[in-house]
């Protein structure tokens, strides 16, 4: 860190309004002084986000003196490390976090009205998509899926919607969710994956989990299938959920509590068969198509002769398809078309003379 960055960090930590902005959780929102200032000064984003983490780790919201600032700065790295539950701090993470704030001005799409999704009221979204953002909406009656530019896959339940930036995957991986979705996150070193919902942000690096956001007056539900998810509820610091854990966030109380398995998550997992033993490749591909709500095209005559024993556990859709193609060997190839179809090509396992 340069001398100028050191000075800025010290000034931020000594600034009571800045600390209160962080402690109140306002740094996750747009339309306030510090968020607007950061959006206008991206060159300081790394230092600002470092200050945010230090404030959260130190639980500062009262006046402090220069001596205390210096004392905390001396042990800042240890505090940040503990706050993030021993996750390694990478410079690229600061760029990722800063990018999320810079985009915050475009993310005021939640709205205050309600709509219907999954049989209950959900936080509705504005009819327009912010400039630079891509929309994926499920207006049908069955699950639909989308593969994101980084290779992550989303299964979106009926009546749900996500937004992601056109630059998704380059330096930022943030999606905005309204409704219910199941995420299979591709591992990407140094660039965490964020899911933002009303009052809650979830941060992962590579895992599979489900989120349901029925509405502002209802509870938000998170269920982790594999890996771990750091949940930032309201103004509080992160709570880490590991595989097999579920939690409910209640906006009125601001509490995040453990929960029993959710019916909606159980139903999602039931259609995701991941272990196959001596299964026909054609049956595996058909199963995938049903699970992801996507049309799968292949030569039934050729691929029905192929038998596979494999595990597709904890893999995003592209990785599953690549594993199947590799297992079949030869000239087997797959593609996901622009109109969301999966196409498998190759000679399969049936001899040409049959």
């Amino acid at each position: 860190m340069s001398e100028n960055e050191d000075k800025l960090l010290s000034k931020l930590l000594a600034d009571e309004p800045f600390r209160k902005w962080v402690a109140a959780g306002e740094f996750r929102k747009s339309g306030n002084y510090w968020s607007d200032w950061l959006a206008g000064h991206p060159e300081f984003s790394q230092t600002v986000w470092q200050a945010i983490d230090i404030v959260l780790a130190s639980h500062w919201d009262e006046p402090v003196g220069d001596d205390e600032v210096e004392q905390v700065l001396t042990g800042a790295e240890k505090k940040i490390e503990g706050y993030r539950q021993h996750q390694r701090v990478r410079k690229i993470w600061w760029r990722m976090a800063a990018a999320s704030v810079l985009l915050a001005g475009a993310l005021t799409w939640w709205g205050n009205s309600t709509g219907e999704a999954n049989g209950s009221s959900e936080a509705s979204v504005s009819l327009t998509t912010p400039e630079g953002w891509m929309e994926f909406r499920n207006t049908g009656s069955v699950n639909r899926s989308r593969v994101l530019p980084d290779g992550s896959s989303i299964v979106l339940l009926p009546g749900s919607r996500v937004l992601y930036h056109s630059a998704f995957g380059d330096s930022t991986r943030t999606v905005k969710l309204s409704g219910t979705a199941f995420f299979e996150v591709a591992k990407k070193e140094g660039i965490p994956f964020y899911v933002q919902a009303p009052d809650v942000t979830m941060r992962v690096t590579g895992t599979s989990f489900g989120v349901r956001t029925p509405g502002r007056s209802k509870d938000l539900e998170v269920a982790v299938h594999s890996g771990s998810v750091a949940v930032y509820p309201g103004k509080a610091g992160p709570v880490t959920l590991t595989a097999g854990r579920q939690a409910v966030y209640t906006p009125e109380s601001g509490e995040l509590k453990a929960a029993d398995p959710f019916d909606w998550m159980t139903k999602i997992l039931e259609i995701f068969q991941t272990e196959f033993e001596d299964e026909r490749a054609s049956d595996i591909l058909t199963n995938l198509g049903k699970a992801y709500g996507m049309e799968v095209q292949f030569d039934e005559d050729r691929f029905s002769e192929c038998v596979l024993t494999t595990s597709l556990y904890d893999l995003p859709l592209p990785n599953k398809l690549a594993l199947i193609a590799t297992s079949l060997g030869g000239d087997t190839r797959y593609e996901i078309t622009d109109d969301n179809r999966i196409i498998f090509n190759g000679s399969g396992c049936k001899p040409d003379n049959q």
Side-chain angles (χ1 to χ4, degrees), residues 49-243:
W49 275 89
Q50 186 170 1
I52 289 172
D53 266 349
I54 292 174
V55 172
L56 290 173
S58 305
H59 304 288
W60 276 348
D61 57 6
E62 299 296 334
V64 296
D66 292 341
D67 292 343
E68 186 173 355
V69 171
E70 184 62 32
Q71 181 180 1
V72 171
L73 279 174
T74 302
E77 185 174 356
K78 292 182 179 180
K79 284 181 174 289
I80 294 173
E81 199 73 14
Y83 171 71
R84 288 190 179 156
Q85 302 184 16
H86 307 293
Q87 295 185 27
R88 184 161 54 91
V89 179
R90 305 179 183 92
K91 288 185 178 180
I92 195 167
W93 187 91
W94 302 113
R95 295 198 294 272
M96 164 61 199
S100 297
V101 170
L102 292 174
L103 296 170
L107 303 182
T108 55
W109 56 278
W110 295 112
N112 295 316
S113 58
T114 58
E116 293 299 318
N118 308 312
S120 61
S121 175
E122 72 163 44
S124 70
V125 297
S126 63
L127 296 178
T128 59
T129 300
E131 183 178 356
W133 286 77
M134 311 292 289
E135 178 192 51
F136 174 39
R137 183 193 293 267
N138 186 354
T139 58
S141 58
V142 297
N143 295 349
R144 292 187 61 203
S145 299
R146 174 67 53 87
V147 175
L148 298 176
D150 70 330
S152 298
S153 48
I154 301 176
V155 179
L156 202 62
L157 273 63
S160 303
R161 182 199 193 204
V162 293
L163 294 180
Y164 57 94
H165 199 265
S166 57
F168 185 96
D170 294 335
S171 59
T172 176
R173 297 199 295 170
T174 299
V175 300
K176 308 291 285 189
L177 171 66
S178 176
T180 305
F182 180 68
F183 297 88
E184 294 174 311
V185 179
K187 296 177 176 63
K188 196 161 186 178
E189 185 71 17
I191 307 181
F193 188 105
Y194 288 85
V195 176
Q196 296 185 341
D199 300 318
V200 176
T201 296
M202 286 138 282
R203 177 181 183 270
V204 302
T205 52
T207 186
S208 57
F209 65 105
V211 182
R212 186 184 188 190
T213 65
R216 291 184 182 275
S217 62
K218 304 289 184 178
D219 294 338
L220 181 141
E221 300 171 346
V222 184
V224 181
H225 178 51
S226 66
S228 62
V229 176
V231 182
Y232 295 75
K235 302 175 182 179
V239 176
T240 299
L241 301 178
T242 55

Side-chain angles (χ1 to χ4, degrees), residues 259-279:
D260 293 328
F262 305 122
D263 289 342
W264 59 267
M265 185 66 171
T266 300
K267 291 178 181 178
I268 290 175
L269 296 179
E270 283 177 350
I271 64 175
F272 274 84
Q273 183 180 352
T274 59
E275 305 299 324
F276 300 92
E277 183 174 354
D278 295 333
E279 293 272 1

